[in-house]
Amino acid sequence: LVGSEMCIRDSCYCSFSEPEISEDLVKVFQHNEILVELCDKENCCGMPKLELGDLAAVEKLKDKNIDRLYEYVEQGWDIVSPVPSCVLMFKQELPLLFPSNERVKKVSESIMDPFEFLLLLHENNEINLDFKSNLGDVFYQVACHQRVQNIGMVTKKILELIPKTSVQALERCSGHDGTYGVKQETHKIAVKLARPIAKELNSKAYESFISDCTLAANHIVNVSGKNILPGHPISLLKKAYGIN
């Protein structure tokens, strides 16, 4: 797998809100000798519109995205995205909505979670294990859109390759669910759903709090009242490698 060609499909959230997540992903992959290219002509994956039931908008976004991603697949590239909802949209939701579209099918077979790919490297003894620092005790909220992919605790498995690092994983919905957490009529419910996770976060002095879904992580921190900045697992991995 070393030397594989990997196309990184950014997400709209990372592009405009936390671009450093995609930058960290590129650095981690390059550190593992993976040839990386950022996908151009990016558009929203369509998950927010799907959650709102706007199927016409979903189809328009599919038309804008799939042809370009299919070109990468045809050239032999694999695809990753740092946000689980984007991966899930291309891997599962679009194939369900457009079952007869062969290009949608091919893209769905070629896209994966970044830590899913890193675990493949590890299973082939090809991941870089030259870590420069440990992470200590990490509290990790497992994003719903990653869990539904049935790929297992891939993020936890990779982070715990780092010496003197313990990852406390909690598989519980944050309540944010895309637009649900920011709507006036549902915000209170979203807060209620996040409280058990916030309680666990406040129960111990963890070195870091992370989630593959940064929307969920920020929502949980807001509910907890803690004055901390949540992180993305790929950024912690970059830190452990000692990458600037």
Side-chain angles (χ1 to χ4, degrees):
L1 287 170
V2 170
S4 295
E5 295 180 331
M6 178 61 64
C7 166
I8 294 180
R9 187 196 182 278
D10 207 348
S11 72
C12 294
Y13 177 84
C14 288
S15 292
F16 297 105
S17 299
E18 298 186 57
E20 64 274 9
I21 294 174
S22 295
E23 294 168 3
D24 291 348
L25 176 56
V26 170
K27 290 177 180 179
V28 166
F29 272 40
Q30 289 177 335
H31 194 66
N32 280 279
E33 301 182 29
I34 301 167
L35 179 63
V36 175
E37 181 172 322
L38 285 173
C39 180
D40 57 3
K41 301 179 182 178
E42 178 200 358
N43 293 277
C44 175
C45 68
M47 181 66 81
K49 294 296 184 181
L50 179 62
E51 291 173 343
L52 295 172
D54 189 348
L55 298 184
V58 170
E59 184 167 13
K60 288 180 181 179
L61 290 167
K62 180 266 298 180
D63 291 341
K64 291 179 179 179
N65 285 313
I66 288 297
D67 285 350
R68 182 63 184 122
L69 291 175
Y70 180 75
E71 290 178 12
Y72 279 105
V73 173
E74 284 291 278
Q75 294 168 20
W77 295 79
D78 293 312
I79 308 167
V80 296
S81 175
V83 177
S85 57
C86 296
V87 177
L88 180 66
M89 189 66 181
F90 289 102
K91 183 185 282 189
Q92 180 172 308
E93 304 296 352
L94 288 179
L96 289 173
L97 289 167
F98 307 98
S100 61
N101 189 310
E102 284 300 315
R103 293 194 170 195
V104 167
K105 181 181 178 182
K106 289 290 186 182
V107 170
S108 75
E109 294 170 347
S110 300
I111 193 167
M112 65 185 77
D113 181 274
F115 283 90
E116 183 182 7
F117 186 80
L118 289 170
L119 187 60
L120 289 176
L121 284 185
H122 175 55
E123 289 171 349
N124 283 275
N125 298 313
E126 294 178 344
I127 195 169
N128 189 330
L129 295 176
D130 184 19
F131 298 108
K132 305 304 182 184
S133 63
N134 64 69
L135 302 176
D137 290 328
V138 179
F139 180 46
Y140 167 52
Q141 187 263 345
V142 187
C144 298
H145 285 157
Q146 189 188 51
R147 279 189 285 147
V148 77
Q149 295 177 47
N150 294 319
I151 54 178
M153 286 277 193
V154 290
T155 300
K156 175 179 168 69
K157 289 177 181 177
I158 293 299
L159 292 182
E160 289 193 333
L161 295 175
I162 303 164
K164 297 181 181 178
T165 297
S166 175
V167 180
Q168 174 65 39
L170 183 57
E171 293 186 89
R172 189 169 188 135
C173 179
S174 71
H176 194 284
D177 192 28
T179 57
Y180 189 85
V182 295
K183 288 182 179 178
Q184 185 175 358
E185 62 268 29
T186 53
H187 177 69
K188 288 184 178 179
I189 302 173
V191 169
K192 182 178 180 181
L193 290 169
R195 280 179 183 149
I197 311 174
K199 182 179 179 181
E200 175 61 33
L201 177 59
N202 286 324
S203 70
K204 182 179 176 180
Y206 291 98
E207 272 75 19
S208 303
F209 169 53
I210 57 171
S211 176
D212 297 280
C213 177
T214 49
L215 285 174
N218 282 296
H219 176 60
I220 293 164
V221 167
N222 288 337
V223 173
S224 75
K226 290 180 77 72
N227 185 26
I228 61 171
L229 288 174
H232 191 281
I234 205 71
S235 300
L236 276 194
L237 188 56
K238 187 195 83 164
K239 176 183 176 182
Y241 276 132
I243 303 171
N244 296 320

